[in-house]
Amino acid sequence: MTNQEFTELLHNRSLKATAPRLALLNALHEYKSAMPYSAIQSKLSPIDRVTLYRTLESLMKKGVIHKAHQEGSDIFYAFCGHSCSIEQHQHNHVHFKCKSCDTVTCEEPKRSLHISLPGYDIQKVSISIEGICKDCITA
Amino acid sequence: MTNQEFTELLHNRSLKATAPRLALLNALHEYKSAMPYSAIQSKLSPIDRVTLYRTLESLMKKGVIHKAHQEGSDIFYAFCGHSCSIEQHQHNHVHFKCKSCDTVTCEEPKRSLHISLPGYDIQKVSISIEGICKDCITA
DNA sequence: ATCTTATTGCAACATTGTTGCATTTAGGGT
DNA sequence: ACCCTAAATGCAACAATGTTGCAATAAGAT
Ligand SMILES: [Mn+2]
Ligand SMILES: [Mn+2]
Ligand SMILES: [Zn+2]
Ligand SMILES: [Zn+2]
């Protein structure tokens, strides 16, 4: 992803292509897997804390990024897929955190799981999984 | 649940039956659904913040309570079932947060869902659901 | 090049997490 | 009923993150 493309992405969502936003998008892009808040802050340092806070907020609100994991103290952020837009987030995937390498990734489960709670109106499902990732098992 | 029973519960887990712990257990018990941190703090006020922190930690470690919801800023706590012990937490239920009444409850889904991620070793699954609860729909 | 509005940067404050240490207390042993 | 000791509390102190207001700045439309 080039800086030019990120700029388009932001403009499509009525967001100005500012330095902090491009820095964040580049950081997330390079990081490959979901990026913990602490790593984002280090990478973008010396960014103003409030600016980072609002940058994350606006990008989340516009369906560009999403929180991928929030057990533990460090919150992980990841890019949304094409299914997410300014109107709504649409995530059918799960979030996997490896206890060995501490990496958080967005994964598509083989069988799409259907949760049934009779009498309830289910609007959003978040699934966080912990275990050992493929790479750490093979290695 | 009487105070006497709570004392036994604590002793079974090698924990002393102190005032802060009994206060917490009583608060959780009265609250019925999962209790947000802020409500716990108000209810137990004026409890020392550190004591509350360590009380929650120790009770979680010994399988007496667990975090029921941690999207949002307020973390919800709830009693563990009989399946949880000093050795390990064993939760097969999901956590439902009602967008209307803001209540968080532990729910047993009808079909037990099986998540399949080939190549990965799944050790723990946390499912958080948001929507409208049974009571709010009926009302 | 100018203008307008979104965005930033800073100050300031709030909440929660976390550790160290001295003091208190629960509960087992006598 | 009284000791004793380990466990637990209370307080100080610091760190990290969330959150708002406001003045200064800069992006992008004209
Ligand atoms: Mn994801
Ligand atoms: Mn639960
Ligand atoms: Zn791994
Ligand atoms: Zn409800």
Side-chain angles (χ1 to χ4, degrees):
Chain A
M1 284 279 242
T2 151
N3 243 343
Q4 196 56 232
E5 293 175 297
F6 283 139
T7 299
E8 279 184 44
L9 177 65
L10 290 169
H11 287 175
N12 287 339
R13 306 256 193 337
S14 315
L15 293 173
K16 292 185 178 176
T18 64
R21 286 171 182 166
L22 290 174
L24 173 64
L25 294 176
N26 276 302
L28 275 185
H29 183 59
E30 289 172 21
Y31 204 84
K32 309 294 182 191
S33 57
M35 196 170 181
Y37 176 84
S38 57
I40 295 176
Q41 191 167 52
S42 307
K43 183 69 178 183
L44 269 51
S45 182
I47 194 181
D48 183 71
R49 215 156 47 74
V50 179
T51 298
L52 177 53
Y53 168 70
R54 290 198 264 233
T55 298
L56 290 169
E57 288 290 307
S58 59
L59 292 187
M60 276 194 291
K61 189 156 113 183
K62 296 301 179 71
V64 179
I65 63 175
H66 66 279
K67 291 182 180 173
H69 189 81
Q70 32 186 354
E71 327 277 309
S73 50
D74 227 350
I75 299 181
F76 288 70
Y77 294 89
F79 278 110
C80 289
H82 301 294
S83 53
C84 290
S85 67
I86 189 174
E87 291 95 18
Q88 66 160 2
H89 283 274
Q90 182 77 358
H91 295 157
N92 292 319
H93 62 263
V94 303
H95 294 136
F96 188 94
K97 173 157 190 190
C98 177
K99 282 181 171 172
S100 173
C101 62
D102 274 331
T103 298
V104 172
T105 51
C106 302
E107 304 285 347
E108 300 288 341
K110 273 292 171 241
R111 253 167 301 180
S112 80
L113 31 91
H114 183 69
I115 296 176
S116 167
L117 283 181
Y120 289 74
D121 175 21
I122 295 182
Q123 295 174 356
K124 185 185 165 198
V125 178
S126 305
I127 301 182
S128 280
I129 304 179
E130 282 189 9
I132 309 295
C133 77
K134 197 185 290 190
D135 291 348
C136 285
I137 289 180
T138 313
Chain B
M1 285 279 241
T2 153
N3 244 343
Q4 196 55 233
E5 294 175 296
F6 284 138
T7 299
E8 279 183 43
L9 177 64
L10 290 169
H11 287 176
N12 286 339
R13 304 247 186 353
S14 315
L15 293 173
K16 292 186 178 176
T18 63
R21 286 170 182 167
L22 291 174
L24 174 63
L25 294 176
N26 277 302
L28 277 185
H29 183 59
E30 289 172 22
Y31 203 85
K32 308 297 181 191
S33 57
M35 195 170 184
Y37 176 84
S38 57
I40 295 176
Q41 191 166 49
S42 308
K43 183 71 178 179
L44 300 199
S45 183
I47 193 180
D48 183 72
R49 213 156 49 73
V50 179
T51 299
L52 176 53
Y53 167 70
R54 290 197 265 233
T55 299
L56 291 169
E57 288 290 308
S58 60
L59 291 187
M60 278 194 290
K61 189 156 113 183
K62 295 302 178 71
V64 179
I65 63 175
H66 66 278
K67 291 182 181 174
H69 188 82
Q70 31 186 353
E71 327 276 308
S73 49
D74 226 350
I75 298 180
F76 288 70
Y77 294 87
F79 277 111
C80 289
H82 300 295
S83 52
C84 289
S85 68
I86 190 173
E87 290 96 17
Q88 66 162 1
H89 284 274
Q90 183 77 359
H91 295 157
N92 293 319
H93 62 263
V94 303
H95 294 136
F96 188 95
K97 173 159 190 188
C98 177
K99 282 180 171 174
S100 173
C101 63
D102 275 331
T103 299
V104 172
T105 50
C106 302
E107 304 286 347
E108 300 287 341
K110 271 293 170 245
R111 252 168 300 181
S112 80
L113 33 91
H114 184 70
I115 296 175
S116 166
L117 283 180
Y120 289 74
D121 175 21
I122 294 180
Q123 296 175 357
K124 185 186 166 198
V125 178
S126 305
I127 300 182
S128 280
I129 304 179
E130 283 189 8
I132 310 295
C133 78
K134 197 185 293 188
D135 291 348
C136 285
I137 288 181
T138 313

